[in-house]
Protein backbone atom coordinates (compact mmCIF):
# COMPACT_ATOMS: atom_id res chain seq x y z
CA UNK A 1 0.00 0.00 0.00
CA UNK A 2 2.84 2.36 0.85
CA UNK A 3 4.45 1.83 -2.53
CA UNK A 4 1.17 2.35 -4.37
CA UNK A 5 0.66 5.69 -2.63
CA UNK A 6 4.29 6.53 -3.32
CA UNK A 7 3.76 6.01 -7.04
CA UNK A 8 1.40 8.96 -7.02
CA UNK A 9 4.11 10.93 -5.26
CA UNK A 10 6.58 9.64 -7.82
CA UNK A 11 4.47 11.13 -10.58
CA UNK A 12 4.97 14.53 -8.98
CA UNK A 13 8.67 14.53 -9.77
CA UNK A 14 7.92 14.10 -13.46
CA UNK A 15 6.59 17.63 -13.65
CA UNK A 16 9.81 18.94 -15.26
CA UNK A 17 13.61 19.11 -15.37
CA UNK A 18 16.69 18.33 -17.44
CA UNK A 19 20.27 17.07 -17.26
CA UNK A 20 21.24 19.88 -19.58
CA UNK A 21 18.73 22.53 -20.63
CA UNK A 22 20.29 22.77 -24.09
CA UNK A 23 19.66 19.07 -24.66
CA UNK A 24 15.92 19.30 -24.04
CA UNK A 25 13.50 20.45 -26.70
CA UNK A 26 11.87 23.73 -25.72
CA UNK A 27 9.64 24.01 -28.77
CA UNK A 28 7.15 21.27 -27.94
CA UNK A 29 6.02 20.72 -24.32
CA UNK A 30 5.04 17.10 -25.05
CA UNK A 31 8.55 16.30 -26.19
CA UNK A 32 10.08 18.34 -23.37
CA UNK A 33 8.25 16.50 -20.61
CA UNK A 34 9.15 13.09 -22.04
CA UNK A 35 12.81 13.94 -22.55
CA UNK A 36 13.06 15.46 -19.09
CA UNK A 37 11.57 12.40 -17.40
CA UNK A 38 13.79 9.97 -19.31
CA UNK A 39 16.95 11.92 -18.53
CA UNK A 40 16.08 12.23 -14.86
CA UNK A 41 15.32 8.53 -14.43
CA UNK A 42 18.53 7.65 -16.24
CA UNK A 43 20.59 9.72 -13.83
CA UNK A 44 18.89 8.09 -10.86
CA UNK A 45 19.69 4.63 -12.26
CA UNK A 46 23.31 5.55 -12.91
CA UNK A 47 23.80 6.84 -9.37
CA UNK A 48 21.82 4.20 -7.47
CA UNK A 49 24.72 2.86 -5.40
CA UNK A 50 25.83 6.37 -4.43
CA UNK A 51 22.29 7.33 -3.47
CA UNK A 52 21.95 4.30 -1.22
CA UNK A 53 24.95 5.54 0.77
CA UNK A 54 23.89 9.17 0.66
CA UNK A 55 20.16 9.72 -0.05
CA UNK A 56 20.62 13.47 0.43
CA UNK A 57 22.12 13.61 -3.04
CA UNK A 58 18.59 13.16 -4.33
CA UNK A 59 17.95 16.80 -3.45
CA UNK A 60 20.90 17.85 -5.60
CA UNK A 61 19.66 15.77 -8.51
CA UNK A 62 16.16 17.20 -8.22
CA UNK A 63 17.52 20.74 -8.06
CA UNK A 64 19.66 20.22 -11.12
CA UNK A 65 17.28 18.09 -13.15
CA UNK A 66 13.76 19.25 -12.32
CA UNK A 67 13.85 22.80 -11.07
CA UNK A 68 15.00 24.48 -14.33
CA UNK A 69 11.76 23.50 -16.04
CA UNK A 70 9.40 23.93 -13.10
CA UNK A 71 7.51 27.20 -12.82
CA UNK A 72 7.70 27.18 -9.03
CA UNK A 73 6.79 30.88 -8.71
CA UNK A 74 3.57 30.46 -10.71
CA UNK A 75 2.81 27.29 -8.73
CA UNK A 76 3.43 29.08 -5.43
CA UNK A 77 0.96 31.84 -6.32
CA UNK A 78 -1.61 29.26 -7.46
CA UNK A 79 -1.26 27.46 -4.11
CA UNK A 80 -1.81 30.70 -2.18
CA UNK A 81 -4.86 31.52 -4.29
CA UNK A 82 -6.85 34.48 -2.95
CA UNK A 83 -4.46 34.86 -0.01
CA UNK A 84 -1.64 36.00 -2.31
CA UNK A 85 -3.18 39.49 -2.48
CA UNK A 86 -3.22 39.93 1.31
CA UNK A 87 0.19 38.49 2.19
CA UNK A 88 2.82 41.22 2.85
CA UNK A 89 5.35 41.54 0.02
CA UNK A 90 8.32 40.38 2.15
CA UNK A 91 6.39 37.34 3.41
CA UNK A 92 5.28 36.57 -0.14
CA UNK A 93 8.88 36.55 -1.33
CA UNK A 94 9.86 34.28 1.55
CA UNK A 95 6.98 31.93 0.80
CA UNK A 96 7.99 31.59 -2.86
CA UNK A 97 11.61 30.82 -2.01
CA UNK A 98 10.71 28.30 0.71
CA UNK A 99 8.12 26.74 -1.61
CA UNK A 100 10.93 26.28 -4.15
CA UNK A 101 12.96 24.24 -1.65
CA UNK A 102 9.79 22.45 -0.56
CA UNK A 103 9.23 21.25 -4.13
CA UNK A 104 12.82 20.03 -4.37
CA UNK A 105 12.31 18.02 -1.18
CA UNK A 106 8.93 16.72 -2.39
CA UNK A 107 10.55 15.50 -5.61
CA UNK A 108 13.41 13.90 -3.67
CA UNK A 109 11.08 12.06 -1.29
CA UNK A 110 9.04 10.78 -4.25
CA UNK A 111 12.17 9.58 -6.04
CA UNK A 112 13.30 7.64 -2.99
CA UNK A 113 10.51 5.20 -3.93
CA UNK A 114 11.64 4.84 -7.52
CA UNK A 115 11.93 1.19 -8.55
CA UNK A 116 12.16 1.22 -12.36
CA UNK A 117 8.46 1.85 -12.96
CA UNK A 118 7.61 2.30 -16.65
CA UNK A 119 6.19 5.64 -17.76
CA UNK A 120 4.37 5.78 -21.10
CA UNK A 121 3.64 9.23 -22.54
CA UNK A 122 0.98 10.10 -25.07
CA UNK A 123 2.28 10.97 -28.56
CA UNK A 124 3.39 14.57 -29.09
CA UNK A 125 0.80 16.88 -30.63
CA UNK A 126 1.10 20.15 -32.52
CA UNK A 127 0.96 23.10 -30.13
CA UNK A 128 0.25 25.90 -32.59
CA UNK A 129 -0.53 29.17 -30.82
CA UNK A 130 -1.51 27.50 -27.56
CA UNK A 131 0.08 28.76 -24.37
CA UNK A 132 -1.26 25.96 -22.16
CA UNK A 133 -1.26 22.21 -22.71
CA UNK A 134 -1.88 19.04 -20.71
CA UNK A 135 0.58 16.17 -21.26
CA UNK A 136 -0.85 12.78 -20.30
CA UNK A 137 0.99 9.62 -19.31
CA UNK A 138 0.53 6.26 -17.60
CA UNK A 139 2.77 4.88 -14.84
CA UNK A 140 3.01 1.11 -15.00
CA UNK A 141 4.07 -1.21 -12.20
CA UNK A 142 3.81 -4.99 -12.80
CA UNK A 143 2.39 -5.63 -9.34
CA UNK A 144 -0.06 -2.72 -9.12
CA UNK A 145 -2.81 -0.99 -11.12
CA UNK A 146 -1.81 1.60 -13.70
CA UNK A 147 -1.80 5.23 -12.58
CA UNK A 148 -3.02 7.87 -15.02
CA UNK A 149 -1.23 11.19 -14.71
CA UNK A 150 -1.42 14.53 -16.49
CA UNK A 151 1.07 17.39 -16.46
CA UNK A 152 -0.07 20.99 -16.84
CA UNK A 153 2.41 23.06 -18.80
CA UNK A 154 2.28 26.78 -19.64
CA UNK A 155 4.22 29.05 -21.95
CA UNK A 156 5.63 32.21 -20.40
CA UNK A 157 4.47 35.15 -22.50
CA UNK A 158 7.67 37.10 -21.79
CA UNK A 159 10.31 34.38 -22.23
CA UNK A 160 8.36 31.97 -24.49
CA UNK A 161 9.66 29.15 -22.29
CA UNK A 162 7.50 26.13 -21.55
CA UNK A 163 7.44 25.12 -17.89
CA UNK A 164 5.25 22.74 -15.95
CA UNK A 165 3.37 23.93 -12.88
CA UNK A 166 1.02 21.13 -11.80
CA UNK A 167 0.47 17.38 -11.95
CA UNK A 168 -2.81 15.50 -11.71
CA UNK A 169 -2.70 11.84 -10.62
CA UNK A 170 -5.92 9.84 -10.92
CA UNK A 171 -7.89 13.08 -10.96
CA UNK A 172 -6.11 14.61 -7.95
CA UNK A 173 -4.26 17.88 -8.58
CA UNK A 174 -1.09 18.44 -6.59
CA UNK A 175 -1.68 22.21 -6.49
CA UNK A 176 -5.33 21.86 -5.51
CA UNK A 177 -4.38 19.51 -2.68
CA UNK A 178 -1.71 21.86 -1.38
CA UNK A 179 -3.97 24.90 -1.76
CA UNK A 180 -6.66 23.18 0.32
CA UNK A 181 -4.11 22.14 2.95
CA UNK A 182 -2.40 25.52 3.20
CA UNK A 183 -5.59 27.59 2.95
CA UNK A 184 -6.99 26.28 6.20
CA UNK A 185 -3.68 26.87 7.98
CA UNK A 186 -3.41 30.44 6.68
CA UNK A 187 -7.02 31.15 7.65
CA UNK A 188 -6.74 29.67 11.14
CA UNK A 189 -3.16 30.73 11.89
CA UNK A 190 -0.96 32.59 9.41
CA UNK A 191 1.32 32.40 6.37
CA UNK A 192 4.18 32.12 8.86
CA UNK A 193 2.85 28.77 10.05
CA UNK A 194 2.76 27.43 6.50
CA UNK A 195 6.35 28.56 5.96
CA UNK A 196 7.32 26.91 9.25
CA UNK A 197 5.72 23.59 8.25
CA UNK A 198 7.41 23.63 4.84
CA UNK A 199 10.77 24.30 6.46
CA UNK A 200 10.23 21.39 8.85
CA UNK A 201 9.76 19.07 5.89
CA UNK A 202 12.80 20.53 4.13
CA UNK A 203 14.92 19.95 7.26
CA UNK A 204 13.94 16.28 7.58
CA UNK A 205 16.75 13.92 6.47
CA UNK A 206 16.04 11.78 3.42
CA UNK A 207 16.02 7.99 3.51
CA UNK A 208 15.69 5.44 0.74
CA UNK A 209 12.11 4.20 1.17
CA UNK A 210 12.77 0.75 -0.24
CA UNK A 211 15.30 0.09 2.52
CA UNK A 212 12.95 1.49 5.18
CA UNK A 213 10.08 -0.76 4.09
CA UNK A 214 12.29 -3.86 4.03
CA UNK A 215 13.45 -3.09 7.56
CA UNK A 216 9.92 -2.41 8.81
CA UNK A 217 8.26 -5.33 7.03
CA UNK A 218 4.86 -5.32 5.28
CA UNK A 219 2.50 -2.45 6.04
Amino acid sequence: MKKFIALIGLATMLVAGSVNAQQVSEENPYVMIKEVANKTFERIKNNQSTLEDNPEQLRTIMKEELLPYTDYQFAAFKVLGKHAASVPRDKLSTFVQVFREYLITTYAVAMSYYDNQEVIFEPASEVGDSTYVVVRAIIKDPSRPEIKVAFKVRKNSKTNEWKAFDMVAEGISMLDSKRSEFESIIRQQSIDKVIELMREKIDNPLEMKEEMEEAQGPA
Side-chain angles (χ1 to χ4, degrees):
M1 183 62 179
K2 291 179 180 178
K3 285 188 65 179
F4 176 76
I5 295 174
L7 284 177
I8 297 179
L10 175 62
T12 305
M13 65 70 58
L14 291 171
V15 169
S18 72
V19 171
N20 186 313
Q22 284 69 41
Q23 296 176 0
V24 174
S25 171
E26 298 181 45
E27 297 180 359
N28 188 300
Y30 296 91
V31 176
M32 182 195 77
I33 292 292
K34 183 176 180 179
E35 289 182 354
V36 156
N38 290 338
K39 288 176 179 292
T40 303
F41 281 133
E42 188 65 25
R43 183 170 176 185
I44 294 294
K45 292 177 183 178
N46 293 339
N47 290 275
Q48 198 62 44
S49 59
T50 302
L51 292 172
E52 289 176 0
D53 294 331
N54 183 15
E56 288 295 327
Q57 288 192 15
L58 277 171
R59 294 187 207 260
T60 299
I61 294 176
M62 298 304 102
K63 184 176 181 179
E64 295 176 355
E65 309 302 341
L66 304 185
L67 200 62
Y69 281 78
T70 301
D71 196 341
Y72 66 86
Q73 182 169 336
F74 183 79
F77 276 82
K78 291 282 286 184
V79 166
L80 282 179
K82 63 182 181 181
H83 294 286
S86 59
V87 174
R89 184 178 294 273
D90 60 330
K91 293 291 177 66
L92 192 59
S93 176
T94 299
F95 176 85
V96 170
Q97 291 307 311
V98 175
F99 186 77
R100 173 181 180 273
E101 298 302 315
Y102 180 78
L103 281 181
I104 292 172
T105 297
T106 299
Y107 297 155
V109 171
M111 282 309 300
S112 69
Y113 284 95
Y114 177 59
D115 191 24
N116 294 316
Q117 287 84 9
E118 181 182 9
V119 183
I120 301 176
F121 290 89
E122 68 174 331
S125 300
E126 290 296 328
V127 178
D129 296 329
S130 299
T131 58
Y132 166 85
V133 300
V134 178
V135 181
R136 293 178 173 81
I138 295 175
I139 298 178
K140 289 191 172 184
D141 187 308
S143 60
R144 288 169 177 79
E146 295 179 347
I147 297 178
K148 296 179 181 179
V149 297
F151 308 100
K152 297 181 179 180
V153 192
R154 67 187 289 267
K155 188 176 185 179
N156 188 298
S157 60
K158 295 181 179 179
T159 65
N160 289 324
E161 293 178 332
W162 286 98
K163 291 190 177 184
F165 65 92
D166 191 16
M167 184 279 302
V168 179
E170 292 296 329
I172 301 174
S173 161
M174 180 187 73
L175 287 190
D176 287 348
S177 297
K178 288 302 173 184
R179 181 164 55 238
S180 176
E181 176 186 347
F182 290 169
E183 197 277 335
S184 61
I185 297 173
I186 294 173
R187 187 178 67 253
Q188 297 175 17
Q189 299 183 60
S190 67
I191 187 69
D192 292 314
K193 184 61 177 179
V194 173
I195 293 173
E196 177 188 338
L197 292 174
M198 288 195 297
R199 281 176 168 158
E200 286 179 2
K201 182 171 182 177
I202 294 169
D203 291 339
N204 285 338
L206 292 177
E207 298 182 67
M208 298 304 289
K209 301 303 181 183
E210 291 295 324
E211 295 179 358
M212 288 175 58
E213 290 183 1
E214 290 176 3
Q216 295 172 354

